[in-house]
Amino acid sequence: MHQVDQQFAFHRLARSWPQHRWWRPLLTALLGGVFYVVLLLLALVTGLALASLTPAGVGPYFDALSVLDLSNPVMFAFTLVSLILMIPALALATLIVGPRPLGLLSSVAGRIRWGWLALCAGVAVAVFLVNLAVSFGVGVLFPAEAEPLPVLPETSTLIVLLALSLLAVPFQAAAEEYVFRGFLMQAIGSWLRHPAFAILLPVPLFVLGHGYDPLGQADVAVFAIFAGWITWRTGGLEAAIAVHAINNMTIFVLGAFGLVDVNSTEGSLSGLVLSVATMAVTAVVIVRLADSRGIARTRTVTAWPALEPANGITGPPLPPRPTATDTNRPTADRRPIDG
């Protein structure tokens, strides 16, 4: 009896589940959409109920939600919650429809590799600090491209904005990554083998979710391509989540202090060039770290054929045994998965 090994890259992980069928991603999307609407309505009803208990009533909150102003704590919190709710909606749908384990949405290891996530976050912090320094220099050299800065908010508003930026924004970034680089990449990858389809086809949807001008949308597209590629290259969402979270946290923390306008929808050529350079440097550093640490890129599923007949009775095949492997290293030199 011989073992049969199959290797699955991140975008093909749905096919590593024996019960995969071509229609399951479509059902997951439909069910996830239903769960999302229900959760969003529950959040709205809960929020209105709590607002009605305040002395001011629900009026000021309705006024705050009538204008898309992310410098307003009410609108900022509502926007974050509306995005974060995609995580439980997708998780519930996946638990019902598959694939299993649920952690396949996270990485080839079937879970979040926390040590690797922390390392990627450290890389992102270092790169974005350099990015900020360069951006400041560009603003000094080319003041015409500098945007007018908003007024610094009062202390109570500042504290709320900072708390939301540091505590909730990472979950918002993770939610977008689970939907666009987790579910969508794996759904497309279950139908189309080449990773380019899984990386590029979700990009227009991601860009349309951001209401920027053409230069701003090009900037978003650069990040989306980077996030899709780095997810495929490292076998998991950790790097994309880390970079996305650090980027958004940086913007909103600076916005809380009035150093950038979080409501700006205009991009710039210098900003686009800087984003391309930032993503390229980040990709090189993360890939080198992944290779040196033996971060798994694929999931190996080991199965056996049916047992030989004994006394005319054929036994069932043994279940597959999945493992995460690093395709860059010889088998004898593979390291344990960091995380």
Side-chain angles (χ1 to χ4, degrees):
M1 183 169 60
H2 300 285
Q3 296 179 359
V4 180
D5 289 350
Q6 287 184 292
Q7 289 190 336
F8 297 88
F10 180 84
H11 70 296
R12 301 282 285 176
L13 283 181
R15 284 188 166 269
S16 69
W17 186 43
Q19 281 73 46
H20 170 75
R21 300 294 183 272
W22 69 267
W23 47 265
R24 286 187 181 273
L26 298 176
L27 183 57
T28 299
L30 177 61
L31 201 57
V34 172
F35 285 144
Y36 176 73
V37 171
V38 171
L39 290 173
L40 187 58
L41 289 175
L42 288 175
L44 282 172
V45 170
T46 303
L48 290 175
L50 293 175
S52 65
L53 300 177
T54 63
V58 298
Y61 296 95
F62 273 123
D63 294 339
L65 294 177
S66 64
V67 180
L68 183 58
D69 179 8
L70 295 179
S71 63
N72 185 308
V74 175
M75 174 53 80
F76 187 34
F78 174 77
T79 302
L80 292 177
V81 169
S82 67
L83 293 171
I84 292 171
L85 287 177
M86 294 191 298
I87 294 179
L90 178 59
L92 287 172
T94 304
L95 284 173
I96 295 172
V97 182
R100 298 190 184 93
L102 178 62
L104 289 179
L105 285 173
S106 301
S107 77
V108 296
R111 60 183 174 83
I112 282 287
R113 298 167 292 189
W114 292 105
W116 176 234
L117 175 64
L119 184 59
C120 291
V123 171
V125 168
V127 172
F128 277 97
L129 285 176
V130 175
N131 179 297
L132 286 176
V134 175
S135 297
F136 177 78
V138 170
V140 172
L141 294 175
F142 303 99
E145 289 198 359
E147 299 178 354
L149 298 179
V151 179
L152 183 68
E154 60 183 35
T155 303
S156 59
T157 300
L158 175 63
I159 292 174
V160 174
L161 291 175
L162 286 177
L164 290 172
S165 300
L166 297 175
L167 301 178
V169 166
F171 292 97
Q172 166 262 320
E176 294 186 17
E177 292 308 312
Y178 270 104
V179 171
F180 289 96
R181 259 65 67 177
F183 170 71
L184 278 180
M185 275 188 67
Q186 292 184 9
I188 295 169
S190 70
W191 301 320
L192 302 171
R193 181 179 296 273
H194 199 284
F197 294 108
I199 293 170
L200 296 177
L201 289 182
V203 171
L205 290 176
F206 187 73
V207 170
L208 288 175
H210 298 75
Y212 300 134
D213 68 356
L215 279 175
Q217 289 186 327
D219 199 326
V220 173
V222 167
F223 171 79
I225 294 171
F226 158 81
W229 184 84
I230 205 69
T231 295
W232 168 77
R233 182 60 175 77
T234 60
L237 293 177
E238 296 90 354
I241 289 174
V243 175
H244 196 160
I246 296 301
N247 175 75
N248 288 12
M249 290 169 67
T250 301
I251 292 172
F252 287 117
V253 166
L254 292 175
F257 285 102
L259 298 176
V260 299
D261 183 3
V262 294
N263 294 310
S264 175
T265 59
E266 298 180 0
S268 65
L269 183 58
S270 61
L272 178 59
V273 172
L274 188 57
S275 290
V276 172
T278 300
M279 293 299 101
V281 171
T282 305
V284 169
V285 174
I286 288 178
V287 166
R288 290 194 174 186
L289 284 173
D291 290 346
S292 66
R293 288 176 167 266
I295 298 299
R297 295 179 56 187
T298 61
R299 183 177 183 85
T300 301
V301 177
T302 303
W304 292 263
L307 297 176
E308 296 295 331
N311 298 325
I313 302 176
T314 302
L318 294 175
R321 296 190 308 176
T323 57
T325 58
D326 172 24
T327 56
N328 289 330
R329 296 181 176 277
T331 302
D333 190 36
R334 286 175 184 157
R335 300 183 185 179
I337 301 169
D338 181 36

